[in-house]
Amino acid sequence: MTESTSTSARSQNISYIVNKNGADQLVDILQRRPDGQVYVHYDGFDKRLDEWIPGTSLKPANESARKRRRDTPSPTPTEPETRPDPLMTEEEFDIKHHKQITAQRNFDKVNFGQWRIKTWYFSPYPLTDSELEDSTGLPGGSASTSKIPGVNRATVRSHGRTSDLLAGGLTRSHLSAEKSILWVCDRCFKYMAEGAAWEMHVKQCDRRHPPGRKVYQRGAHIIWEVDGAKDKLYCQNLSLFGKLFIDVKTLFFDCDNFLFYILTDADSQRDHVLGFFSKEKISYDDYNLACIIVLPPYQRKGYGMLMIEFSYEVSRRAGKIGTPERPLSDLGLRSYLTYWVATLIRFFRRLLSVLPPDRPTITSSGRLPDLTGVLPPPSEDANSRKKRAKGWDGETPDSNSTFSSPNGLDDTIAAMRTVLTISNPDGSATSHVVVRSTLAEIASATNLRIEDAAFALNECGLLGSTLDGVVGITREMVEAVAKERNVKRMCLDPAHVMLT
């Protein structure tokens, strides 16, 4: 086996730059190979962009580039193995070496159905028996060359212990391009190391949809609830696959305490998995989401927002105010900030509107109209209803979908606001909505944590105008944020939730 040589450019006080996409980028060298390939991390960028590049593309950085280096530490490079402290538990030893183990991806690409996807992060897939034989058969190598001291090698049959699974991918750094591809069934998530075995499996796999029960269905899009205690192998394989695209979450293979919510898109033959999120069955911190992933081919289509909205709907129906588990990744924080801001903007639009969005005019006879609350929309005659197309993109939104909200919000709005009507010289009158509320009341009305609501309001600039400790928010300010943040209608339709 051609052994990898571990090195750290920073430890040698040497900085390098690489020309990427027409711009020079500072890099940290995490690993070198005798064939001249180097595994680099781009300074200031996420670890999912780490890659092997030819060593000839490295150039020494000049002094000005070194001064521009950020103060944040680079990912821990692979270091020579050390014997564990005899006083350390195996779990503590695993945690200590977690960064070392996951410093680089153990698969370059994953073949998933019709897609061949570049992986982002390390996932602790166990070494198969054939890989063990390959590693022991290579010149100068053995199965224990890259193993963690004191941790047993994993095989296909040892699928339970986290430490075994963490050890599973260490020797894959020497694999050729062909063997750096993982083959995963897009129906049952069974994984294979060889393309021939994968082709044989997919011809025989008859799973048409995820196990579990439907909890949401709108057109062709369905969310399935899968119990990790009932479908252990499916959920373990799903977690391993998701870890290829998730970095900050620790992966546990005891799935008994987790529920998995899997989003699929149905065709005439079967349901295709688009993404999933997981949550603990019992969370003492009321976390409504542990990890979430939308598969790369389906990103930027609103599916992540649909799952986030569904997780909050689950919390609301349980009578809890949920929040995602921390820490959040950079992509996760961006998605949740979008959700929090959009939720608040929709709420403020309803709160600061004299008339409901679906009632541009009100006609009354004999008495003045009551504008203190949000009036229900007029009943729709069955003969006048427009035929709505099925599906996702082609579905006709309801007239108030931009302002859609959970049941009971109208009463909350009516209790919080006062309508001030001022007469005009021509005999007409102008009505203004005046609201006085606390941050806690706004958070409660939108089913957000106070700290999440405060963070979102601060990020979008609505906490900037204060007078004697009171924050003033106008409808004009709300609309400016809505335009700047491109606030859209909700992806989730609560009427299609099938939770009991």
Side-chain angles (χ1 to χ4, degrees):
M1 179 174 66
T2 57
E3 296 184 3
S4 300
T5 303
S6 302
T7 183
S8 171
R10 179 167 294 186
S11 63
Q12 300 175 8
N13 295 322
I14 300 176
S15 298
Y16 292 96
I17 58 175
V18 173
N19 188 277
K20 186 175 178 64
N21 298 327
D24 289 340
Q25 300 287 349
L26 274 170
V27 297
D28 291 311
I29 300 177
L30 303 183
Q31 196 170 12
R32 292 181 183 269
R33 284 178 176 167
D35 62 0
Q37 293 283 315
V38 291
Y39 195 78
V40 299
H41 168 74
Y42 295 94
D43 193 53
F45 291 86
D46 188 84
K47 193 169 66 174
R48 62 178 173 271
L49 301 178
D50 296 358
E51 61 181 347
W52 287 100
I53 63 173
T56 54
S57 61
L58 294 173
K59 297 184 295 183
N62 55 35
E63 189 64 27
S64 59
R66 295 174 189 173
K67 290 182 179 180
R68 290 197 302 269
R69 175 182 288 273
R70 291 172 172 81
D71 295 330
T72 54
S74 63
T76 305
T78 306
E79 298 176 354
E81 293 175 352
T82 57
R83 286 288 173 184
D85 190 325
L87 299 179
M88 294 175 62
T89 65
E90 185 179 42
E91 181 180 1
E92 291 171 338
F93 185 66
D94 287 342
I95 295 174
K96 178 181 177 181
H97 287 75
H98 183 264
K99 289 186 178 180
Q100 170 191 344
I101 296 168
T102 62
Q104 67 184 68
R105 301 188 303 273
N106 50 339
F107 291 102
D108 183 51
K109 294 181 176 65
V110 57
N111 202 91
F112 184 73
Q114 63 174 325
W115 306 100
R116 178 162 290 185
I117 310 169
K118 182 177 180 180
T119 62
W120 292 0
Y121 306 108
F122 175 96
S123 182
Y125 278 96
L127 282 176
T128 64
D129 291 335
S130 60
E131 286 179 311
L132 282 174
E133 294 171 1
D134 290 345
S135 62
T136 56
L138 289 171
S142 66
S144 60
T145 301
S146 298
K147 66 173 289 187
I148 305 177
V151 179
N152 295 328
R153 175 65 61 197
T155 66
V156 174
R157 291 177 293 276
S158 60
H159 197 276
R161 294 174 59 243
T162 303
S163 56
D164 286 345
L165 293 165
L166 286 173
L170 288 180
T171 63
R172 288 200 179 96
S173 61
H174 74 278
L175 296 178
S176 63
E178 178 184 355
K179 292 189 176 181
S180 66
I181 297 176
L182 178 68
W183 302 79
V184 177
C185 175
D186 63 339
R187 296 173 181 249
C188 67
F189 288 90
K190 181 178 180 180
Y191 52 89
M192 286 142 279
E194 303 292 340
W198 176 83
E199 290 180 359
M200 184 177 299
H201 169 80
V202 296
K203 291 179 181 179
Q204 301 173 352
C205 186
D206 57 357
R207 181 175 290 280
R208 300 183 60 183
H209 58 75
R213 61 172 183 144
K214 293 181 182 180
V215 291
Y216 180 83
Q217 182 171 9
R218 182 183 180 188
H221 293 86
I222 304 172
I223 296 179
W224 303 80
E225 182 185 75
V226 183
D227 192 331
K230 295 180 180 179
D231 299 282
K232 289 186 178 182
L233 183 59
Y234 182 91
C235 293
Q236 286 177 349
N237 289 339
L238 182 68
S239 298
L240 282 168
F241 184 78
K243 185 63 182 69
L244 292 170
F245 309 100
I246 302 174
D247 181 40
V248 297
K249 301 295 183 183
T250 303
L251 195 62
F252 292 98
F253 294 88
D254 183 7
C255 299
D256 291 6
N257 297 325
F258 286 86
L259 293 172
F260 293 82
Y261 294 89
I262 304 171
L263 175 63
T264 63
D265 184 19
D267 59 21
S268 59
Q269 300 296 322
R270 62 186 180 94
D271 292 75
H272 301 268
V273 174
L274 307 177
F276 73 93
F277 74 90
S278 63
K279 68 180 292 288
E280 290 182 287
K281 295 178 182 177
I282 301 176
S283 174
Y284 296 102
D285 295 310
D286 288 339
Y287 290 139
N288 59 12
L289 186 146
C291 64
I292 182 172
I293 177 67
V294 177
L295 304 188
Y298 306 110
Q299 292 179 357
R300 299 182 181 274
K301 298 180 183 295
Y303 298 132
M305 189 58 58
L306 172 62
M307 291 191 287
I308 290 175
E309 291 174 356
F310 182 81
S311 70
Y312 273 90
E313 180 67 12
V314 172
S315 294
R316 189 188 67 81
R317 296 194 178 212
K320 299 178 180 179
I321 298 180
T323 192
E325 185 179 313
R326 268 59 167 186
L328 292 172
S329 66
D330 58 336
L331 296 179
L333 179 59
R334 191 184 310 166
S335 298
Y336 270 95
L337 179 59
T338 299
Y339 170 76
W340 293 331
V341 170
T343 299
L344 290 166
I345 291 301
R346 296 189 195 106
F347 173 74
F348 286 138
R349 276 176 164 173
R350 296 198 64 158
L351 189 67
L352 299 176
S353 297
V354 174
L355 298 179
D358 52 352
R359 299 291 300 276
T361 61
I362 293 180
T363 303
S364 60
S365 300
R367 64 180 64 184
L368 294 176
D370 183 10
L371 301 178
T372 57
V374 178
L375 300 177
S379 60
E380 187 178 26
D381 183 78
N383 296 326
S384 63
R385 293 175 183 170
K386 294 182 180 179
K387 183 178 179 181
R388 292 185 173 89
K390 295 182 179 180
W392 178 269
D393 293 331
E395 190 164 23
T396 303
D398 295 333
S399 59
N400 64 338
S401 59
T402 305
F403 304 89
S404 57
S405 57
N407 296 332
L409 186 57
D410 292 346
D411 294 336
T412 303
I413 291 177
M416 296 176 64
R417 60 196 224 145
T418 302
V419 178
L420 177 63
T421 303
I422 303 174
S423 61
N424 297 323
D426 61 355
S428 63
T430 303
S431 296
H432 300 275
V433 176
V434 180
V435 179
R436 296 185 182 273
S437 64
T438 64
L439 178 61
E441 291 172 335
I442 294 174
S444 176
T446 53
N447 205 46
L448 298 178
R449 291 278 183 94
I450 295 178
E451 56 270 24
D452 295 341
F455 175 75
L457 290 172
N458 184 64
E459 286 295 309
C460 66
L462 291 179
L463 292 184
S465 177
T466 59
L467 179 62
D468 296 331
V470 177
V471 177
I473 299 177
T474 65
R475 180 61 186 266
E476 290 77 11
M477 296 169 61
V478 170
E479 292 303 324
V481 172
K483 181 178 180 180
E484 176 187 359
R485 298 276 175 166
N486 191 23
V487 174
K488 302 177 181 178
R489 66 186 181 95
M490 287 182 64
C491 297
L492 180 81
D493 186 345
H496 293 271
V497 176
M498 304 167 67
L499 291 170
T500 55

